[in-house]
């Protein structure tokens, strides 16, 4: 009841709705992480010297805890809010969000079930204590029994642009929701070695999210 999913038809609509609040939450760029910034500040910090940026067609899903959403919203100047952000917050109000209670917002492209399940895993990790404890136990097992694989995956997550604060959360979300061929291609981990552990991650997600797909 405290998780709110926003879906979009295009990457443009999705990323223009989420990019500022998402980068406020977990950007690896110091100028953006938990800072007040407008669209120009984001572009200035994100563009390379040749003017290139792949942000707006790279990310396919977004997730932010409600207290971070509130914190970000309170720090921003209203005149810098984009029309996409305004629409999203109006929809939250219309949905009857109780901002005094914990909540979570997630975003994905329409019908992108794998990404939606991935983002639901993030939302459950923050809003459901039992889910978080079960996932943390599996990740502790990953660290202890397959430390090399844990290190490889963690470093790849950092290289992908995630900040260190969310690595453990990202591990449980990826291992519980993504296809094994995607895990092998993206992280170059030993999937056969982790096969049984991955099944257990997915079993936990299925237990708490009846719409999760067992890939």
């Amino acid at each position: 009841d405290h998780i709110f999913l926003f879906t979009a038809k295009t990457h443009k609509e999705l990323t223009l709705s989420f990019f500022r609040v998402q980068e406020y939450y977990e950007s690896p760029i110091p100028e953006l992480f938990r800072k007040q910034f407008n669209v120009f500040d984001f572009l200035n910090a994100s563009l390379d010297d040749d003017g290139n940026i792949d942000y707006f067609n790279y990310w396919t899903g977004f997730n932010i805890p409600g207290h971070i959403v509130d914190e970000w919203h309170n720090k921003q100047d209203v005149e810098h809010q984009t029309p996409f952000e305004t629409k999203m917050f109006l929809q939250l109000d219309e949905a009857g969000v109780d901002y005094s209670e914990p909540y979570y917002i997630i975003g994905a492209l329409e019908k992108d079930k794998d990404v939606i399940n991935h983002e639901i895993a993030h939302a459950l990790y923050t809003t459901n204590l039992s889910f978080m404890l079960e996932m943390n136990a599996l990740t502790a097992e990953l660290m202890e029994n397959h430390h090399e694989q844990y290190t490889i995956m963690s470093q790849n997550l950092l290289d992908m642009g995630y900040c260190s604060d969310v690595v453990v959360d990202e591990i449980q979300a990826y291992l519980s929701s993504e296809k094994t061929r995607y895990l092998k291609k993206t992280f170059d981990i030993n999937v056969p070695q982790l096969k049984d552990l991955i099944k257990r991650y997915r079993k936990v997600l299925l237990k708490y999210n009846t719409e999760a797909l067992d890939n």
Side-chain angles (χ1 to χ4, degrees):
D1 293 341
H2 301 294
I3 300 171
F4 298 88
L5 167 65
F6 291 87
T7 58
K9 289 182 170 61
T10 66
H11 269 97
K12 175 181 177 179
E13 179 184 7
L14 182 67
T15 52
L16 286 178
S17 299
F18 278 90
F19 78 101
R20 282 207 304 157
V21 63
Q22 186 74 59
E23 291 307 284
Y24 176 86
Y25 173 40
E26 58 182 9
S27 179
I29 302 173
E31 295 90 340
L32 304 179
F33 181 66
R34 307 297 166 90
K35 300 292 198 307
Q36 180 188 54
F37 61 90
N38 57 34
V39 175
F40 174 80
D41 297 328
F42 170 84
L43 292 174
N44 190 44
S46 303
L47 288 162
D48 66 22
D49 290 340
D50 294 322
N52 299 313
I53 184 172
D54 62 0
Y55 188 96
F56 294 100
N57 60 14
Y58 180 77
W59 298 108
T60 57
F62 297 90
N63 68 90
I64 308 101
H67 72 278
I68 294 292
V69 177
D70 297 339
E71 183 181 301
W72 171 82
H73 196 263
N74 291 334
K75 279 188 179 181
Q76 307 313 310
D77 295 327
V78 175
E79 62 267 26
H80 292 146
Q81 187 165 290
T82 73
F84 292 90
E85 292 167 347
T86 299
K87 179 181 178 182
M88 186 166 68
F89 284 108
L90 284 174
Q91 289 177 334
L92 275 177
D93 291 340
E94 290 168 359
V97 178
D98 183 351
Y99 295 104
S100 67
E101 295 289 331
Y103 70 98
Y104 209 103
I105 66 172
I106 57 179
L109 295 174
E110 290 181 357
K111 300 180 181 179
D112 195 339
K113 208 59 173 167
D114 287 343
V115 172
I116 291 173
N117 287 330
H118 179 105
E119 304 307 339
I120 288 174
H122 283 307
L124 287 169
Y125 190 76
T126 295
T127 62
N128 190 307
L129 179 60
S130 296
F131 178 88
M132 182 189 72
L133 292 175
E134 289 192 49
M135 287 302 198
N136 282 351
L138 291 174
T139 303
E141 187 175 332
L142 173 66
M143 293 173 66
E144 182 176 350
N145 298 338
H146 308 281
H147 187 72
E148 181 180 0
Q149 301 304 310
Y150 171 82
T151 301
I152 290 171
M153 192 169 186
S154 298
Q155 187 56 55
N156 272 284
L157 285 166
L158 296 174
D159 293 342
M160 289 166 68
Y162 292 103
C163 73
S164 58
D165 290 356
V166 300
V167 164
V168 172
D169 186 8
E170 290 297 339
I171 286 175
Q172 66 85 18
Y174 275 105
L175 293 182
S176 66
S177 67
E178 301 291 349
K179 291 180 172 63
T180 53
R181 63 177 179 271
Y182 176 90
L183 294 173
K184 171 63 178 174
K185 179 181 178 181
T186 303
F187 299 107
D188 196 28
I189 56 175
N190 188 331
V191 172
Q193 183 185 117
L194 301 179
K195 182 179 179 180
D196 291 340
L197 191 58
I198 290 171
K199 284 183 178 179
R200 290 161 61 198
Y201 273 104
R202 295 181 181 190
K203 186 176 180 180
V204 173
L205 181 56
L206 283 167
K207 176 181 173 182
Y208 289 89
N209 170 28
T210 56
E211 294 195 17
L213 298 179
D214 188 17
N215 297 313

